[in-house]
Amino acid sequence: MQVRRIRLHNLAHPLNTLVVKLPLCGTKSELPRDLGLLPKVWGPHDASAGIMAYVNYIKTFTLGISTIHTPSFLTSLDWINFSPDMWSTVRRLLMLGLIASTLPAASGDVTNKSTKLRTVITTDMEQDDLASLIRYLLYTNELDTQGIIYTSSVYHWAGNGNGTSLRWTGTRTIEDNVLKAYAEVYPNLRRHDPSYPTPKELLSTVKIGNIDFEGEMDHDTDGSDLIQALLLDDDPRTLYLQAWGGTNTIARALKSIEERYSDSRKRARTKETISRKAVIMASGFQDTTYVDYIAPHWPQIRVEEISAGYDTWGFNCNKGQGNVRGLPDDHLYFTGDWIKPNIEMGPYGKLYRAWLDGQSMPGDPLDIFGNATTAASGWCKPLGSYDFLSEGDNVAFNPLLTTGIQDPTNPNLGGWGGRAKQNTSSPDLWVMVDSETDQNGTKTDGYTTNRWIAAVQNDFAARMQWTVTPQYRNGNHAPSVHILNGSTVKGRPGMTVTLAGAVHDPDDDKVNSSWWQYVEEGTYPGAVAVTEHGRNQASVVIPANAEPGQTISIILQGTDDGHFPLTRYDRVLIQVM
């Protein structure tokens, strides 16, 4: 097979130079048209080039991948001008990883910031906030982090300088410890994805918010000013405001906006705009500012109170049963035998917190979790050395992580952050669902977050390995999974719907795929049979008792066979006609 080097111009992508392997035989008439993947119009050189689609379940049509790790090819390029329809296909193939970019050398495309989810973290920086931050920063290649802000909570506040404080850990942990370690491993991280922000970029986002006392929102701070500016700027993206501590710094920003426009004719329009733009992801309500101020003054801001996820990610205490965190098949991922070698390692991972690891947060006398001598006297009884301790604030950002089925605009849909349900419409408050249907058809408490543990933990471990792995080829990277039918398919009761998927792995690992029904995501209340046919194909028979307007959610899941198996997904909703 000859490699034809092609420059794809006018592609809305930061990197224009792509390399594909193109068989020199074949014509347009051989290209499959029934999958919704290929356009009807091709460019002038397509027949001679014999461009074939990468469709995983058709043997005869295969596009090989050739990632070139040198820019030397840029000096001798063949030029092919594709039609507008072809550009749509190229972009989809690029998204799937089926066309490989020559630059940058490590991982292909660089994600434009304007396409990333936009978020701000507010944190009281206790022990479990630190552990969550260690995880979170490994995902900053996929998120546009525009603020990391110290705030107070009912558990931690700094006082007003008169010597009175409560378990306050200071305002230098992020800068002096976490980002210093991040800077040390940053060269390795960007080998695996050049979209990682520089240490300087992250440092510029760190601000001090309202920290004096629990719930204090009496005055503007650098942190509240930053949030205010982001809410009022021209960026049309949703701003996801993560509250790892109290919501008081967020509340102060909103109050400043309210006061600024109180006598303005723009008051109603500004309030409406901010209410659409802001989403608060609360790791519990750790002060009273939501109830006292945000809910009554900004009732149309969507707020997700997702502390129910603590059952998965909160403090893991010995209640006489030992370490029983997680589903039985996933218990390993919460043990010291797994965490010590895979997470709490290397110059960055060593900052992670686990049971009896010898570490503590300065200024917090109750953080004795790392001390083998005194831990037994604490409020949360110890488990074994390096067993999982707590990452409670994962609940605030897991819904934002890129998995293929993430959709933070619709909390009813599931994913690594679990599913939520609307508790009240005014104020617009959502809470996590209590239970979901497990693989045995049984309603199980906490399953909405526990069902993903193997995938979540392996992904974390793979990224932690990136921190100590300078060569891209020596790391594991997630596969791409795509349902070719699109996001929705329509059918009538009794009809058989045939589904097809495309799966690709950037490391050429074997990817094991499976199709399954996500019962609670659909409005059809019963189970449906999903029959797999191999080659990423499946069929679903719409039940005869399904009613028009109901939906059935089907997930395509792909897991590679890397040392830390990585999983991605896609979703299709079958709409009953």
Side-chain angles (χ1 to χ4, degrees):
M1 181 179 289
Q2 180 175 333
V3 176
R4 182 182 293 263
R5 290 177 286 278
I6 305 173
R7 172 161 286 177
L8 306 180
H9 31 156
N10 301 322
L11 180 61
H13 188 272
L15 301 170
N16 288 345
T17 305
L18 308 171
V19 173
V20 297
K21 284 183 178 179
L22 302 176
L24 297 183
C25 60
T27 66
K28 287 186 289 185
S29 62
E30 294 176 325
L31 298 167
R33 293 268 178 82
D34 60 332
L35 305 174
L37 176 68
L38 302 177
K40 295 179 180 178
V41 181
W42 291 79
H45 299 278
D46 58 328
S48 61
I51 301 173
M52 293 184 178
Y54 180 92
V55 180
N56 211 30
Y57 61 90
I58 295 181
K59 284 184 181 179
T60 54
F61 302 114
T62 303
L63 173 67
I65 304 303
S66 177
T67 304
I68 309 300
H69 294 300
T70 172
S72 62
F73 288 96
L74 302 182
T75 59
S76 58
L77 296 170
D78 296 332
W79 292 78
I80 294 181
N81 297 310
F82 290 105
S83 67
D85 283 344
M86 186 57 193
W87 289 122
S88 176
T89 295
V90 168
R91 291 189 186 98
R92 293 184 70 182
L93 292 173
L94 178 64
M95 178 181 67
L96 285 168
L98 303 180
I99 302 177
S101 168
T102 64
L103 290 175
S107 66
D109 66 318
V110 178
T111 305
N112 192 305
K113 272 194 173 185
S114 65
T115 66
K116 296 180 179 181
L117 295 177
R118 191 182 190 213
T119 190
V120 170
I121 292 169
T122 63
T123 171
D124 57 356
M125 199 37 61
E126 64 174 343
Q127 166 276 324
D128 74 329
D129 293 49
L130 174 61
S132 288
L133 186 62
I134 294 300
R135 183 189 295 258
Y136 174 84
L137 291 181
L138 295 182
Y139 291 87
T140 51
N141 59 322
E142 297 174 357
L143 298 169
D144 186 2
T145 305
Q146 299 199 329
I148 305 175
I149 300 171
Y150 292 97
T151 195
S152 64
S153 72
V154 64
Y155 308 107
H156 304 273
W157 40 266
N160 59 5
N162 62 2
T164 302
S165 64
L166 178 67
R167 299 175 60 198
W168 185 242
T169 63
T171 56
R172 296 298 308 177
T173 297
I174 298 169
E175 303 94 310
D176 294 345
N177 298 335
V178 179
L179 292 185
K180 183 179 179 181
Y182 176 88
E184 188 172 349
V185 301
Y186 171 71
N188 287 344
L189 286 174
R190 75 177 312 274
R191 293 291 184 97
H192 297 274
D193 190 340
S195 295
Y196 274 104
T198 67
K200 185 176 180 180
E201 287 173 325
L202 288 174
L203 182 62
S204 70
T205 72
V206 179
K207 306 293 180 185
I208 298 175
N210 296 68
I211 63 173
D212 292 349
F213 297 102
E214 170 196 349
E216 181 274 302
M217 52 176 286
D218 298 333
H219 60 279
D220 293 332
T221 60
D222 288 346
S224 69
D225 286 346
L226 173 60
I227 294 173
Q228 180 185 175
L230 294 172
L231 288 172
L232 291 171
D233 67 18
D234 294 329
D235 194 320
R237 290 176 292 167
T238 300
L239 183 64
Y240 292 94
L241 300 168
Q242 301 181 45
W244 296 11
T247 51
N248 57 317
T249 300
I250 298 169
R252 178 63 240 184
L254 293 170
K255 185 174 178 61
S256 296
I257 293 172
E258 186 179 40
E259 292 173 346
R260 178 175 175 180
Y261 291 93
S262 60
D263 299 324
S264 170
R265 287 179 295 178
K266 297 180 180 180
R267 178 179 181 276
R269 187 174 66 183
T270 300
K271 202 157 192 175
E272 180 183 356
T273 300
I274 298 302
S275 295
R276 288 197 308 266
K277 189 173 190 176
V279 174
I280 298 174
M281 313 288 285
S283 176
F285 291 140
Q286 299 183 40
D287 61 26
T288 63
T289 55
Y290 170 73
V291 172
D292 294 344
Y293 175 74
I294 297 175
H297 289 260
W298 297 85
Q300 297 311 306
I301 289 180
R302 191 175 90 224
V303 177
E304 299 181 32
E305 197 287 285
I306 38 188
S307 60
Y310 290 171
D311 287 346
T312 301
W313 299 112
F315 278 96
N316 188 23
C317 307
N318 190 343
K319 299 178 181 179
Q321 299 173 301
N323 185 4
V324 293
R325 181 61 60 92
L327 299 173
D329 289 345
D330 299 327
H331 174 66
L332 169 69
Y333 300 110
F334 294 100
T335 66
D337 289 343
W338 189 85
I339 289 173
K340 180 63 172 73
N342 299 321
I343 304 298
E344 199 162 332
M345 45 76 69
Y348 180 75
K350 70 181 182 182
L351 296 181
Y352 182 80
R353 293 296 307 278
W355 272 112
L356 309 181
D357 62 1
Q359 301 186 74
S360 64
M361 294 291 290
D364 184 359
L366 296 188
D367 182 4
I368 55 176
F369 308 109
N371 191 316
T373 303
T374 60
S377 64
W379 65 271
C380 180
K381 302 306 178 184
L383 294 167
S385 295
Y386 296 98
D387 279 354
F388 179 82
L389 175 53
S390 179
E391 293 180 66
D393 301 304
N394 294 4
V395 300
F397 64 82
N398 275 348
L400 309 179
L401 300 183
T402 302
T403 63
I405 55 171
Q406 81 288 348
D407 187 359
T409 65
N410 185 358
N412 283 305
L413 297 178
W416 286 2
R419 277 191 322 112
K421 61 183 179 181
Q422 191 173 40
N423 189 54
T424 60
S425 58
S426 185
D428 189 4
L429 177 63
W430 294 68
V431 296
M432 191 169 288
V433 299
D434 298 322
S435 63
E436 285 186 341
T437 305
D438 66 17
Q439 293 176 328
N440 298 318
T442 304
K443 284 284 189 179
T444 302
D445 290 344
Y447 197 66
T448 191
T449 51
N450 282 332
R451 69 191 305 162
W452 313 101
I453 284 302
V456 173
Q457 291 293 75
N458 277 308
D459 208 272
F460 184 23
R463 288 170 183 257
M464 190 61 77
Q465 290 300 313
W466 293 357
T467 68
V468 295
T469 306
Q471 296 296 325
Y472 180 87
R473 64 177 178 270
N474 294 332
N476 194 23
H477 309 89
S480 298
V481 177
H482 190 65
I483 296 175
L484 300 177
N485 305 71
S487 59
T488 59
V489 174
K490 296 181 179 180
R492 300 185 185 280
M495 284 182 56
T496 298
V497 175
T498 300
L499 302 173
V503 176
H504 167 70
D505 189 88
D507 307 311
D508 293 326
D509 291 337
K510 179 183 177 182
V511 180
N512 297 309
S513 61
S514 61
W515 299 81
W516 50 276
Q517 179 191 8
Y518 200 148
V519 176
E520 289 81 5
E521 283 192 343
T523 57
Y524 174 74
V528 301
V530 181
T531 304
E532 299 192 40
H533 303 293
R535 299 188 181 281
N536 301 311
Q537 292 185 89
S539 59
V540 177
V541 178
I542 301 176
N545 65 349
E547 299 178 359
Q550 289 183 329
T551 58
I552 300 168
S553 175
I554 303 297
I555 305 295
L556 172 60
Q557 174 176 319
T559 302
D560 71 21
D561 64 351
H563 180 66
F564 297 104
L566 299 181
T567 305
R568 291 296 182 267
Y569 319 82
D570 200 5
R571 169 194 295 111
V572 61
L573 286 177
I574 300 174
Q575 298 179 342
V576 182
M577 300 173 61

